[in-house]
Amino acid sequence: MKDEPDTTGKLRSLDINRIFDLLDDQPFPVDTDELCSTYDDVTVSYPGGGGDSLARVLRTSGRQTYETMDDLQLSILNGVQRNAVGRPRYSDRDPPVAGDEHDHQQSF
């Protein structure tokens, strides 16, 4: 089942953006082993295809204790594959072009 909790014992596959929704009610502090045990049936699916178990993603940072949701989210974002969070080295901000009509502020 995709993006839905599964009570049949099958793996749950969630988009990277939905993983944080799943963890919303997680009490803190919590350590890697507790999270891996609680969410052992969760697979993080990537927009470009493929995925990893949430346990594998969490274990890329080693064994940790997370004090806040921000700590946990950062660890997950650091642990997923590059194609999970957008195009590598891509920015939606173009650099200024010579002759551009806009007045660009410069710092010296």
Side-chain angles (χ1 to χ4, degrees):
M1 284 187 159
K2 188 169 178 106
D3 291 348
E4 294 180 19
D6 185 1
T7 58
T8 65
K10 295 181 181 179
L11 290 177
R12 291 182 280 178
S13 180
L14 299 170
D15 289 336
I16 184 69
N17 296 329
R18 299 284 311 266
I19 292 295
F20 302 129
D21 294 338
L22 176 71
L23 299 169
D24 250 354
D25 296 326
Q26 177 63 49
F28 290 90
V30 62
D31 67 33
T32 303
D33 292 337
E34 291 175 272
L35 289 167
C36 291
S37 175
T38 302
Y39 300 104
D40 66 340
D41 63 336
V42 175
T43 298
V44 180
S45 59
Y46 301 139
D52 289 305
S53 70
L54 181 57
R56 195 217 59 82
V57 170
L58 289 169
R59 287 192 173 115
T60 60
S61 297
R63 192 164 186 229
Q64 294 189 32
T65 298
Y66 304 99
E67 299 294 332
T68 67
M69 177 60 90
D70 287 343
D71 294 342
L72 179 55
Q73 287 178 343
L74 182 61
S75 182
I76 291 171
L77 290 173
N78 283 331
V80 295
Q81 295 177 18
R82 290 173 52 167
N83 67 342
V85 291
R87 298 187 326 205
R89 296 184 283 288
Y90 172 78
S91 173
D92 62 351
R93 298 175 190 230
D94 293 325
V97 178
D100 192 339
E101 296 176 13
H102 301 290
D103 182 27
H104 295 284
Q105 201 173 35
Q106 292 184 3
S107 177
F108 294 92

PDB file of all heavy atoms in Angstrom, residues 28-63:
ATOM      1  N   PHE A  28       9.847  12.469  22.116  1.00  0.00           N
ATOM      2  CA  PHE A  28      11.291  12.674  22.169  1.00  0.00           C
ATOM      3  C   PHE A  28      11.728  12.794  23.607  1.00  0.00           C
ATOM      4  O   PHE A  28      10.947  13.223  24.441  1.00  0.00           O
ATOM      5  CB  PHE A  28      11.660  13.945  21.390  1.00  0.00           C
ATOM      6  CG  PHE A  28      11.470  13.783  19.919  1.00  0.00           C
ATOM      7  CD1 PHE A  28      10.257  14.100  19.317  1.00  0.00           C
ATOM      8  CD2 PHE A  28      12.484  13.277  19.130  1.00  0.00           C
ATOM      9  CE1 PHE A  28      10.074  13.944  17.960  1.00  0.00           C
ATOM     10  CE2 PHE A  28      12.306  13.109  17.762  1.00  0.00           C
ATOM     11  CZ  PHE A  28      11.093  13.447  17.179  1.00  0.00           C
ATOM     12  N   PRO A  29      12.956  12.458  23.919  1.00  0.00           N
ATOM     13  CA  PRO A  29      14.011  11.940  23.051  1.00  0.00           C
ATOM     14  C   PRO A  29      13.716  10.497  22.636  1.00  0.00           C
ATOM     15  O   PRO A  29      13.007   9.762  23.317  1.00  0.00           O
ATOM     16  CB  PRO A  29      15.264  12.033  23.914  1.00  0.00           C
ATOM     17  CG  PRO A  29      14.784  11.958  25.320  1.00  0.00           C
ATOM     18  CD  PRO A  29      13.411  12.575  25.323  1.00  0.00           C
ATOM     19  N   VAL A  30      14.317  10.121  21.507  1.00  0.00           N
ATOM     20  CA  VAL A  30      14.190   8.766  20.972  1.00  0.00           C
ATOM     21  C   VAL A  30      15.498   8.414  20.277  1.00  0.00           C
ATOM     22  O   VAL A  30      16.144   9.290  19.714  1.00  0.00           O
ATOM     23  CB  VAL A  30      12.990   8.657  20.002  1.00  0.00           C
ATOM     24  CG1 VAL A  30      13.172   9.562  18.792  1.00  0.00           C
ATOM     25  CG2 VAL A  30      12.713   7.226  19.584  1.00  0.00           C
ATOM     26  N   ASP A  31      15.892   7.148  20.363  1.00  0.00           N
ATOM     27  CA  ASP A  31      17.160   6.785  19.720  1.00  0.00           C
ATOM     28  C   ASP A  31      16.918   5.970  18.452  1.00  0.00           C
ATOM     29  O   ASP A  31      15.804   5.550  18.161  1.00  0.00           O
ATOM     30  CB  ASP A  31      18.118   6.075  20.685  1.00  0.00           C
ATOM     31  CG  ASP A  31      17.639   4.705  21.116  1.00  0.00           C
ATOM     32  OD1 ASP A  31      16.979   4.004  20.327  1.00  0.00           O
ATOM     33  OD2 ASP A  31      17.958   4.310  22.254  1.00  0.00           O
ATOM     34  N   THR A  32      17.984   5.782  17.713  1.00  0.00           N
ATOM     35  CA  THR A  32      17.928   5.100  16.418  1.00  0.00           C
ATOM     36  C   THR A  32      17.325   3.705  16.550  1.00  0.00           C
ATOM     37  O   THR A  32      16.478   3.314  15.756  1.00  0.00           O
ATOM     38  CB  THR A  32      19.338   5.004  15.801  1.00  0.00           C
ATOM     39  OG1 THR A  32      19.878   6.321  15.695  1.00  0.00           O
ATOM     40  CG2 THR A  32      19.303   4.365  14.431  1.00  0.00           C
ATOM     41  N   ASP A  33      17.753   2.954  17.554  1.00  0.00           N
ATOM     42  CA  ASP A  33      17.249   1.586  17.723  1.00  0.00           C
ATOM     43  C   ASP A  33      15.746   1.569  17.969  1.00  0.00           C
ATOM     44  O   ASP A  33      15.030   0.714  17.422  1.00  0.00           O
ATOM     45  CB  ASP A  33      17.973   0.876  18.863  1.00  0.00           C
ATOM     46  CG  ASP A  33      19.440   0.598  18.546  1.00  0.00           C
ATOM     47  OD1 ASP A  33      19.790   0.540  17.340  1.00  0.00           O
ATOM     48  OD2 ASP A  33      20.230   0.439  19.494  1.00  0.00           O
ATOM     49  N   GLU A  34      15.249   2.483  18.791  1.00  0.00           N
ATOM     50  CA  GLU A  34      13.802   2.555  19.049  1.00  0.00           C
ATOM     51  C   GLU A  34      13.031   2.857  17.765  1.00  0.00           C
ATOM     52  O   GLU A  34      11.999   2.238  17.487  1.00  0.00           O
ATOM     53  CB  GLU A  34      13.495   3.648  20.083  1.00  0.00           C
ATOM     54  CG  GLU A  34      13.966   3.337  21.478  1.00  0.00           C
ATOM     55  CD  GLU A  34      13.728   4.528  22.394  1.00  0.00           C
ATOM     56  OE1 GLU A  34      14.621   5.393  22.459  1.00  0.00           O
ATOM     57  OE2 GLU A  34      12.647   4.575  23.022  1.00  0.00           O
ATOM     58  N   LEU A  35      13.524   3.834  16.994  1.00  0.00           N
ATOM     59  CA  LEU A  35      12.854   4.202  15.747  1.00  0.00           C
ATOM     60  C   LEU A  35      12.860   3.046  14.751  1.00  0.00           C
ATOM     61  O   LEU A  35      11.840   2.759  14.117  1.00  0.00           O
ATOM     62  CB  LEU A  35      13.517   5.430  15.128  1.00  0.00           C
ATOM     63  CG  LEU A  35      13.284   6.743  15.858  1.00  0.00           C
ATOM     64  CD1 LEU A  35      14.233   7.806  15.332  1.00  0.00           C
ATOM     65  CD2 LEU A  35      11.838   7.185  15.698  1.00  0.00           C
ATOM     66  N   CYS A  36      13.988   2.380  14.629  1.00  0.00           N
ATOM     67  CA  CYS A  36      14.095   1.261  13.688  1.00  0.00           C
ATOM     68  C   CYS A  36      13.155   0.132  14.084  1.00  0.00           C
ATOM     69  O   CYS A  36      12.556  -0.518  13.221  1.00  0.00           O
ATOM     70  CB  CYS A  36      15.529   0.768  13.611  1.00  0.00           C
ATOM     71  SG  CYS A  36      16.639   1.948  12.804  1.00  0.00           S
ATOM     72  N   SER A  37      13.009  -0.104  15.361  1.00  0.00           N
ATOM     73  CA  SER A  37      12.105  -1.145  15.839  1.00  0.00           C
ATOM     74  C   SER A  37      10.636  -0.767  15.621  1.00  0.00           C
ATOM     75  O   SER A  37       9.841  -1.576  15.153  1.00  0.00           O
ATOM     76  CB  SER A  37      12.372  -1.390  17.327  1.00  0.00           C
ATOM     77  OG  SER A  37      11.437  -2.295  17.844  1.00  0.00           O
ATOM     78  N   THR A  38      10.300   0.474  15.931  1.00  0.00           N
ATOM     79  CA  THR A  38       8.917   0.933  15.796  1.00  0.00           C
ATOM     80  C   THR A  38       8.478   1.010  14.344  1.00  0.00           C
ATOM     81  O   THR A  38       7.348   0.666  14.007  1.00  0.00           O
ATOM     82  CB  THR A  38       8.749   2.319  16.449  1.00  0.00           C
ATOM     83  OG1 THR A  38       9.132   2.229  17.826  1.00  0.00           O
ATOM     84  CG2 THR A  38       7.319   2.817  16.340  1.00  0.00           C
ATOM     85  N   TYR A  39       9.369   1.462  13.470  1.00  0.00           N
ATOM     86  CA  TYR A  39       9.019   1.689  12.071  1.00  0.00           C
ATOM     87  C   TYR A  39       9.739   0.704  11.149  1.00  0.00           C
ATOM     88  O   TYR A  39      10.115   1.053  10.034  1.00  0.00           O
ATOM     89  CB  TYR A  39       9.347   3.135  11.678  1.00  0.00           C
ATOM     90  CG  TYR A  39       8.595   4.142  12.518  1.00  0.00           C
ATOM     91  CD1 TYR A  39       9.226   4.840  13.536  1.00  0.00           C
ATOM     92  CD2 TYR A  39       7.234   4.368  12.297  1.00  0.00           C
ATOM     93  CE1 TYR A  39       8.519   5.763  14.311  1.00  0.00           C
ATOM     94  CE2 TYR A  39       6.532   5.276  13.082  1.00  0.00           C
ATOM     95  CZ  TYR A  39       7.179   5.963  14.081  1.00  0.00           C
ATOM     96  OH  TYR A  39       6.488   6.860  14.846  1.00  0.00           O
ATOM     97  N   ASP A  40       9.884  -0.543  11.606  1.00  0.00           N
ATOM     98  CA  ASP A  40      10.607  -1.543  10.810  1.00  0.00           C
ATOM     99  C   ASP A  40       9.892  -1.934   9.528  1.00  0.00           C
ATOM    100  O   ASP A  40      10.477  -2.543   8.644  1.00  0.00           O
ATOM    101  CB  ASP A  40      10.920  -2.778  11.641  1.00  0.00           C
ATOM    102  CG  ASP A  40       9.673  -3.549  12.060  1.00  0.00           C
ATOM    103  OD1 ASP A  40       8.574  -2.967  12.039  1.00  0.00           O
ATOM    104  OD2 ASP A  40       9.819  -4.734  12.417  1.00  0.00           O
ATOM    105  N   ASP A  41       8.637  -1.539   9.387  1.00  0.00           N
ATOM    106  CA  ASP A  41       7.861  -1.885   8.190  1.00  0.00           C
ATOM    107  C   ASP A  41       7.741  -0.732   7.204  1.00  0.00           C
ATOM    108  O   ASP A  41       6.984  -0.803   6.252  1.00  0.00           O
ATOM    109  CB  ASP A  41       6.462  -2.349   8.589  1.00  0.00           C
ATOM    110  CG  ASP A  41       5.650  -1.260   9.286  1.00  0.00           C
ATOM    111  OD1 ASP A  41       6.261  -0.335   9.870  1.00  0.00           O
ATOM    112  OD2 ASP A  41       4.416  -1.336   9.255  1.00  0.00           O
ATOM    113  N   VAL A  42       8.514   0.334   7.422  1.00  0.00           N
ATOM    114  CA  VAL A  42       8.380   1.535   6.596  1.00  0.00           C
ATOM    115  C   VAL A  42       9.530   1.620   5.589  1.00  0.00           C
ATOM    116  O   VAL A  42      10.696   1.485   5.940  1.00  0.00           O
ATOM    117  CB  VAL A  42       8.359   2.813   7.464  1.00  0.00           C
ATOM    118  CG1 VAL A  42       8.355   4.059   6.599  1.00  0.00           C
ATOM    119  CG2 VAL A  42       7.144   2.803   8.377  1.00  0.00           C
ATOM    120  N   THR A  43       9.149   1.844   4.334  1.00  0.00           N
ATOM    121  CA  THR A  43      10.110   2.082   3.268  1.00  0.00           C
ATOM    122  C   THR A  43       9.931   3.504   2.773  1.00  0.00           C
ATOM    123  O   THR A  43       8.813   3.954   2.547  1.00  0.00           O
ATOM    124  CB  THR A  43       9.886   1.101   2.094  1.00  0.00           C
ATOM    125  OG1 THR A  43      10.082  -0.224   2.571  1.00  0.00           O
ATOM    126  CG2 THR A  43      10.847   1.375   0.957  1.00  0.00           C
ATOM    127  N   VAL A  44      11.026   4.227   2.619  1.00  0.00           N
ATOM    128  CA  VAL A  44      11.000   5.579   2.072  1.00  0.00           C
ATOM    129  C   VAL A  44      11.094   5.442   0.555  1.00  0.00           C
ATOM    130  O   VAL A  44      12.065   4.920   0.034  1.00  0.00           O
ATOM    131  CB  VAL A  44      12.197   6.417   2.583  1.00  0.00           C
ATOM    132  CG1 VAL A  44      12.153   7.817   1.995  1.00  0.00           C
ATOM    133  CG2 VAL A  44      12.219   6.454   4.098  1.00  0.00           C
ATOM    134  N   SER A  45      10.047   5.900  -0.159  1.00  0.00           N
ATOM    135  CA  SER A  45      10.092   5.839  -1.617  1.00  0.00           C
ATOM    136  C   SER A  45      10.500   7.204  -2.153  1.00  0.00           C
ATOM    137  O   SER A  45      10.120   8.236  -1.623  1.00  0.00           O
ATOM    138  CB  SER A  45       8.746   5.401  -2.194  1.00  0.00           C
ATOM    139  OG  SER A  45       7.716   6.280  -1.823  1.00  0.00           O
ATOM    140  N   TYR A  46      11.298   7.180  -3.219  1.00  0.00           N
ATOM    141  CA  TYR A  46      11.850   8.398  -3.780  1.00  0.00           C
ATOM    142  C   TYR A  46      11.075   8.832  -5.016  1.00  0.00           C
ATOM    143  O   TYR A  46      10.595   7.986  -5.779  1.00  0.00           O
ATOM    144  CB  TYR A  46      13.321   8.202  -4.132  1.00  0.00           C
ATOM    145  CG  TYR A  46      14.175   7.806  -2.950  1.00  0.00           C
ATOM    146  CD1 TYR A  46      15.160   6.840  -3.068  1.00  0.00           C
ATOM    147  CD2 TYR A  46      13.997   8.394  -1.707  1.00  0.00           C
ATOM    148  CE1 TYR A  46      15.951   6.483  -1.990  1.00  0.00           C
ATOM    149  CE2 TYR A  46      14.782   8.037  -0.622  1.00  0.00           C
ATOM    150  CZ  TYR A  46      15.753   7.082  -0.772  1.00  0.00           C
ATOM    151  OH  TYR A  46      16.534   6.745   0.304  1.00  0.00           O
ATOM    152  N   PRO A  47      10.963  10.150  -5.229  1.00  0.00           N
ATOM    153  CA  PRO A  47      10.215  10.660  -6.379  1.00  0.00           C
ATOM    154  C   PRO A  47      10.734  10.134  -7.721  1.00  0.00           C
ATOM    155  O   PRO A  47       9.957   9.881  -8.617  1.00  0.00           O
ATOM    156  CB  PRO A  47      10.397  12.178  -6.304  1.00  0.00           C
ATOM    157  CG  PRO A  47      10.811  12.474  -4.914  1.00  0.00           C
ATOM    158  CD  PRO A  47      11.493  11.239  -4.403  1.00  0.00           C
ATOM    159  N   GLY A  48      12.025   9.934  -7.845  1.00  0.00           N
ATOM    160  CA  GLY A  48      12.608   9.450  -9.090  1.00  0.00           C
ATOM    161  C   GLY A  48      12.557   7.942  -9.218  1.00  0.00           C
ATOM    162  O   GLY A  48      13.075   7.368 -10.158  1.00  0.00           O
ATOM    163  N   GLY A  49      11.954   7.261  -8.248  1.00  0.00           N
ATOM    164  CA  GLY A  49      11.890   5.812  -8.242  1.00  0.00           C
ATOM    165  C   GLY A  49      12.846   5.229  -7.227  1.00  0.00           C
ATOM    166  O   GLY A  49      13.802   5.858  -6.803  1.00  0.00           O
ATOM    167  N   GLY A  50      12.568   4.027  -6.813  1.00  0.00           N
ATOM    168  CA  GLY A  50      13.399   3.348  -5.826  1.00  0.00           C
ATOM    169  C   GLY A  50      13.069   3.793  -4.423  1.00  0.00           C
ATOM    170  O   GLY A  50      12.132   4.558  -4.186  1.00  0.00           O
ATOM    171  N   GLY A  51      13.821   3.305  -3.477  1.00  0.00           N
ATOM    172  CA  GLY A  51      13.610   3.654  -2.094  1.00  0.00           C
ATOM    173  C   GLY A  51      14.529   2.879  -1.184  1.00  0.00           C
ATOM    174  O   GLY A  51      15.320   2.045  -1.625  1.00  0.00           O
ATOM    175  N   ASP A  52      14.422   3.150   0.101  1.00  0.00           N
ATOM    176  CA  ASP A  52      15.210   2.490   1.132  1.00  0.00           C
ATOM    177  C   ASP A  52      14.329   2.292   2.357  1.00  0.00           C
ATOM    178  O   ASP A  52      13.380   3.053   2.577  1.00  0.00           O
ATOM    179  CB  ASP A  52      16.403   3.355   1.552  1.00  0.00           C
ATOM    180  CG  ASP A  52      17.476   3.430   0.498  1.00  0.00           C
ATOM    181  OD1 ASP A  52      17.948   2.367   0.064  1.00  0.00           O
ATOM    182  OD2 ASP A  52      17.852   4.554   0.119  1.00  0.00           O
ATOM    183  N   SER A  53      14.705   1.322   3.171  1.00  0.00           N
ATOM    184  CA  SER A  53      13.997   1.173   4.437  1.00  0.00           C
ATOM    185  C   SER A  53      14.324   2.378   5.316  1.00  0.00           C
ATOM    186  O   SER A  53      15.423   2.940   5.230  1.00  0.00           O
ATOM    187  CB  SER A  53      14.395  -0.123   5.138  1.00  0.00           C
ATOM    188  OG  SER A  53      15.714  -0.040   5.617  1.00  0.00           O
ATOM    189  N   LEU A  54      13.375   2.777   6.133  1.00  0.00           N
ATOM    190  CA  LEU A  54      13.624   3.896   7.048  1.00  0.00           C
ATOM    191  C   LEU A  54      14.782   3.553   7.980  1.00  0.00           C
ATOM    192  O   LEU A  54      15.598   4.418   8.301  1.00  0.00           O
ATOM    193  CB  LEU A  54      12.365   4.237   7.837  1.00  0.00           C
ATOM    194  CG  LEU A  54      12.469   5.406   8.815  1.00  0.00           C
ATOM    195  CD1 LEU A  54      12.910   6.684   8.107  1.00  0.00           C
ATOM    196  CD2 LEU A  54      11.141   5.620   9.530  1.00  0.00           C
ATOM    197  N   ALA A  55      14.888   2.296   8.370  1.00  0.00           N
ATOM    198  CA  ALA A  55      15.997   1.877   9.241  1.00  0.00           C
ATOM    199  C   ALA A  55      17.347   2.124   8.570  1.00  0.00           C
ATOM    200  O   ALA A  55      18.280   2.630   9.202  1.00  0.00           O
ATOM    201  CB  ALA A  55      15.840   0.405   9.605  1.00  0.00           C
ATOM    202  N   ARG A  56      17.483   1.794   7.281  1.00  0.00           N
ATOM    203  CA  ARG A  56      18.740   2.027   6.574  1.00  0.00           C
ATOM    204  C   ARG A  56      19.062   3.508   6.516  1.00  0.00           C
ATOM    205  O   ARG A  56      20.190   3.933   6.731  1.00  0.00           O
ATOM    206  CB  ARG A  56      18.705   1.456   5.150  1.00  0.00           C
ATOM    207  CG  ARG A  56      20.136   1.391   4.579  1.00  0.00           C
ATOM    208  CD  ARG A  56      20.251   1.715   3.114  1.00  0.00           C
ATOM    209  NE  ARG A  56      19.795   2.996   2.669  1.00  0.00           N
ATOM    210  CZ  ARG A  56      20.487   4.156   2.728  1.00  0.00           C
ATOM    211  NH1 ARG A  56      21.661   4.202   3.284  1.00  0.00           N
ATOM    212  NH2 ARG A  56      19.992   5.268   2.244  1.00  0.00           N
ATOM    213  N   VAL A  57      18.042   4.320   6.246  1.00  0.00           N
ATOM    214  CA  VAL A  57      18.231   5.770   6.174  1.00  0.00           C
ATOM    215  C   VAL A  57      18.724   6.301   7.522  1.00  0.00           C
ATOM    216  O   VAL A  57      19.670   7.080   7.586  1.00  0.00           O
ATOM    217  CB  VAL A  57      16.926   6.473   5.748  1.00  0.00           C
ATOM    218  CG1 VAL A  57      17.026   7.976   5.913  1.00  0.00           C
ATOM    219  CG2 VAL A  57      16.553   6.102   4.319  1.00  0.00           C
ATOM    220  N   LEU A  58      18.097   5.857   8.604  1.00  0.00           N
ATOM    221  CA  LEU A  58      18.485   6.329   9.934  1.00  0.00           C
ATOM    222  C   LEU A  58      19.871   5.848  10.326  1.00  0.00           C
ATOM    223  O   LEU A  58      20.631   6.572  10.972  1.00  0.00           O
ATOM    224  CB  LEU A  58      17.467   5.872  10.975  1.00  0.00           C
ATOM    225  CG  LEU A  58      16.113   6.562  10.900  1.00  0.00           C
ATOM    226  CD1 LEU A  58      15.105   5.850  11.792  1.00  0.00           C
ATOM    227  CD2 LEU A  58      16.232   8.027  11.296  1.00  0.00           C
ATOM    228  N   ARG A  59      20.229   4.656   9.928  1.00  0.00           N
ATOM    229  CA  ARG A  59      21.518   4.093  10.338  1.00  0.00           C
ATOM    230  C   ARG A  59      22.696   4.706   9.593  1.00  0.00           C
ATOM    231  O   ARG A  59      23.844   4.498   9.991  1.00  0.00           O
ATOM    232  CB  ARG A  59      21.481   2.580  10.192  1.00  0.00           C
ATOM    233  CG  ARG A  59      20.612   1.957  11.276  1.00  0.00           C
ATOM    234  CD  ARG A  59      20.782   0.466  11.357  1.00  0.00           C
ATOM    235  NE  ARG A  59      20.053  -0.038  12.511  1.00  0.00           N
ATOM    236  CZ  ARG A  59      19.002  -0.848  12.448  1.00  0.00           C
ATOM    237  NH1 ARG A  59      18.559  -1.270  11.278  1.00  0.00           N
ATOM    238  NH2 ARG A  59      18.401  -1.243  13.537  1.00  0.00           N
ATOM    239  N   THR A  60      22.446   5.472   8.543  1.00  0.00           N
ATOM    240  CA  THR A  60      23.564   6.131   7.855  1.00  0.00           C
ATOM    241  C   THR A  60      24.234   7.159   8.762  1.00  0.00           C
ATOM    242  O   THR A  60      25.399   7.495   8.559  1.00  0.00           O
ATOM    243  CB  THR A  60      23.123   6.831   6.553  1.00  0.00           C
ATOM    244  OG1 THR A  60      22.153   7.814   6.853  1.00  0.00           O
ATOM    245  CG2 THR A  60      22.581   5.833   5.546  1.00  0.00           C
ATOM    246  N   SER A  61      23.503   7.654   9.752  1.00  0.00           N
ATOM    247  CA  SER A  61      24.064   8.628  10.693  1.00  0.00           C
ATOM    248  C   SER A  61      24.633   7.967  11.942  1.00  0.00           C
ATOM    249  O   SER A  61      25.056   8.651  12.862  1.00  0.00           O
ATOM    250  CB  SER A  61      22.976   9.625  11.118  1.00  0.00           C
ATOM    251  OG  SER A  61      22.539  10.358  10.016  1.00  0.00           O
ATOM    252  N   GLY A  62      24.608   6.642  11.987  1.00  0.00           N
ATOM    253  CA  GLY A  62      25.090   5.942  13.170  1.00  0.00           C
ATOM    254  C   GLY A  62      24.020   5.917  14.247  1.00  0.00           C
ATOM    255  O   GLY A  62      22.897   6.376  14.059  1.00  0.00           O
ATOM    256  N   ARG A  63      24.382   5.393  15.374  1.00  0.00           N
ATOM    257  CA  ARG A  63      23.444   5.308  16.495  1.00  0.00           C
ATOM    258  C   ARG A  63      23.400   6.659  17.204  1.00  0.00           C
ATOM    259  O   ARG A  63      24.425   7.140  17.669  1.00  0.00           O
ATOM    260  CB  ARG A  63      23.892   4.222  17.451  1.00  0.00           C
ATOM    261  CG  ARG A  63      22.850   3.873  18.453  1.00  0.00           C
ATOM    262  CD  ARG A  63      23.179   2.559  19.122  1.00  0.00           C
ATOM    263  NE  ARG A  63      22.079   2.187  19.972  1.00  0.00           N
ATOM    264  CZ  ARG A  63      22.226   1.812  21.223  1.00  0.00           C
ATOM    265  NH1 ARG A  63      23.425   1.730  21.758  1.00  0.00           N
ATOM    266  NH2 ARG A  63      21.175   1.503  21.935  1.00  0.00           N
TER     267      ARG A  63
END
